[in-house]
Amino acid sequence: QVIKCKAAVLWEVNKPFSIEEVEVAPPKEHEVRIKIMATGICRSDDHVVTGALVEPFPIILGHEAAGIVESVGQGVTSVKPGDKVVPLFVPQCGECKSCLNTKGNLCMKTDLGTTRGLMPDGTTRFTCKGKAIHHFLGTSTFTEYTVVHESAVAKIDSAAPLEKVCLIGCGFSTGYGAALQTAKVEPGSTCAVFGLGGVGLSVIIGCKAAGAARIIAVDINKDKFAKAKELGATDCINPKDFDKPIHEVLTEMTGGGVDYSFEVIGRTDTMTAAFACCHYNYGVSVIVGVPPAAQNITFDPMLLFTGRSWKGSVFGGWKSKDAVPKLVDDYMKKKFVLDPLITHTLPWTKINEGFDLLRTGK
């Protein structure tokens, strides 16, 4: 049965979202149709609006959500109608090289880094005004109903509050895992976190959970410092307050550089600064923010030669289908908090207001 429902469609770059009636096709073999109950707004969605992340239009964005299974296609065994679930923008097929390797989590079936905007079979499940609408990262959560592949959905605890655990679909898991999984932050270490949005704050939660002794939060918006301190930052610094480059400030503050640094903005200049501020011999720097399209980094190779490591992290290094239910369980056991990451709750038809709040740093 085709479902007619409302969705926020982005027709072209740099335009507001348009609330439209869309038709959502039933799930095909190994697909799941989900009623979306809560979705977060992530800067990666905004990167598509501005063109920094190149995707095909028209498109239904959104990738951080939680919902309830409405129906399943043939052959689906891991979820059934009525189950509470989190869609996964990094799927876990269980068969590709990344899925089979204990060190990997970026399933080769992901749409990240491609510009397909389609289901794995090369077609779409969304139609609006007679036009085919593209999917985003295999999830597309800015709609009342969506269809995902079975490898891109995780069943979670039926008691979990969906308006909170939707954050485990992207922002929280991405930051928390970057600290715990990718960097493997150690007790007593010193960390620097560039960018104090929801993901940056989640990195701080992860660094604190790992036992870091010093967590230096870096942002040009000082309004973000109070929350960073509440979640575990020991120092907060604003690069605008200094005459010298921020990596020099951090190197001096820490007597030679931090053990771990994290870039959680998605800018090449801050990526280089984060890399330069970690210890010249054993520092580890992790890129968490999505890099802008068509920009390269130029840096002195001596920064690497002396022993630093530069890493990237997508979805916090977690194998999604395995990790998301466990992270939800940890939240239910109060091993970490999510409430401080939620600043506003809006009816989803006010999605454009939500994006304005994101863009103004609120």
Side-chain angles (χ1 to χ4, degrees):
Q1 206 81 353
V2 170
I3 288 180
K4 285 189 176 178
C5 68
K6 293 273 191 280
V9 177
L10 193 65
W11 291 100
E12 51 187 309
V13 77
N14 281 321
K15 286 285 192 320
F17 291 91
S18 178
I19 304 292
E20 307 277 7
E21 183 177 81
V22 298
E23 286 98 52
V24 184
K28 294 188 184 178
E29 196 175 5
H30 293 298
E31 292 178 357
V32 179
R33 189 159 59 182
I34 302 167
K35 181 178 190 184
I36 298 291
M37 304 304 289
T39 184
I41 290 176
C42 176
R43 181 68 77 174
S44 306
D45 301 304
D46 192 46
H47 286 330
V48 180
V49 179
T50 62
L53 189 59
V54 180
E55 290 287 336
F57 290 89
I59 190 166
I60 294 174
L61 295 178
H63 63 282
E64 176 181 277
I68 294 167
V69 175
E70 177 271 334
S71 60
V72 299
Q74 209 180 332
V76 171
T77 55
S78 60
V79 295
K80 61 183 188 306
D83 283 348
K84 283 190 178 179
V85 291
V86 167
L88 309 168
F89 75 91
V90 173
Q92 188 182 343
C93 73
E95 294 159 6
C96 71
K97 271 190 154 178
S98 292
C99 284
L100 292 171
N101 190 305
T102 56
K103 293 182 282 198
N105 82 311
L106 190 52
C107 176
M108 287 149 110
K109 300 261 164 69
T110 181
D111 229 19
L112 195 67
T114 75
T115 50
R116 282 182 359 123
L118 299 167
M119 293 296 286
D121 72 351
T123 62
T124 171
R125 300 293 163 269
F126 299 119
T127 317
C128 179
K129 298 178 179 169
K131 287 200 173 108
I133 307 293
H134 291 90
H135 293 249
F136 179 53
L137 299 182
T139 49
S140 288
T141 63
F142 293 165
T143 167
E144 292 174 319
Y145 287 88
T146 192
V147 177
V148 304
H149 191 268
E150 186 180 16
S151 63
V153 62
K155 179 182 173 180
I156 59 166
D157 183 346
S158 61
L162 299 182
E163 73 284 1
K164 313 271 193 221
V165 299
C166 61
L167 297 183
I168 291 173
C170 176
F172 174 76
S173 306
T174 296
Y176 189 65
L180 294 177
Q181 296 265 116
T182 309
K184 297 190 163 54
V185 171
E186 293 154 323
S189 58
T190 299
C191 305
V193 180
F194 287 69
L196 304 177
V199 184
L201 293 171
S202 301
V203 173
I204 290 173
I205 294 171
C207 291
K208 189 179 180 191
R214 196 170 180 197
I215 302 168
I216 305 166
V218 184
D219 202 299
I220 55 172
N221 179 352
K222 62 180 190 309
D223 297 342
K224 303 209 165 188
F225 292 168
K227 190 157 275 183
K229 288 209 156 141
E230 177 195 329
L231 291 170
T234 54
D235 310 68
C236 292
I237 60 173
N238 183 340
K240 289 181 167 173
D241 294 343
F242 301 92
D243 296 330
K244 58 173 85 165
I246 193 64
H247 72 271
E248 291 180 17
V249 174
L250 286 158
T251 304
E252 282 171 23
M253 272 177 76
T254 54
V258 300
D259 298 304
Y260 302 98
S261 67
F262 301 86
E263 199 279 355
V264 206
I265 303 164
R267 290 176 57 111
T268 52
D269 53 348
T270 41
M271 288 172 187
T272 314
F275 185 47
C277 82
C278 70
H279 189 274
Y280 75 96
N281 182 213
Y282 52 75
V284 175
S285 188
V286 182
I287 291 176
V288 189
V290 178
Q295 282 191 27
N296 293 331
I297 292 180
T298 306
F299 68 99
D300 178 355
M302 189 58 83
L303 288 168
L304 267 174
F305 172 74
T306 52
R308 286 181 182 86
S309 303
W310 214 349
K311 294 180 152 188
S313 181
V314 175
F315 196 59
W318 304 107
K319 285 190 185 285
S320 59
K321 216 168 158 84
D322 294 343
V324 163
K326 292 189 180 114
L327 287 164
V328 171
D329 290 344
D330 284 351
Y331 170 72
M332 299 298 280
K333 289 175 190 152
K334 297 188 168 49
K335 287 195 180 169
F336 53 78
V337 292
L338 291 174
D339 285 38
L341 302 176
I342 301 170
T343 56
H344 299 76
T345 304
L346 300 166
W348 81 271
T349 47
K350 292 193 174 172
I351 188 162
N352 288 309
E353 289 177 37
F355 273 84
D356 290 340
L357 288 164
L358 173 82
R359 290 168 191 142
T360 51
K362 296 188 172 80

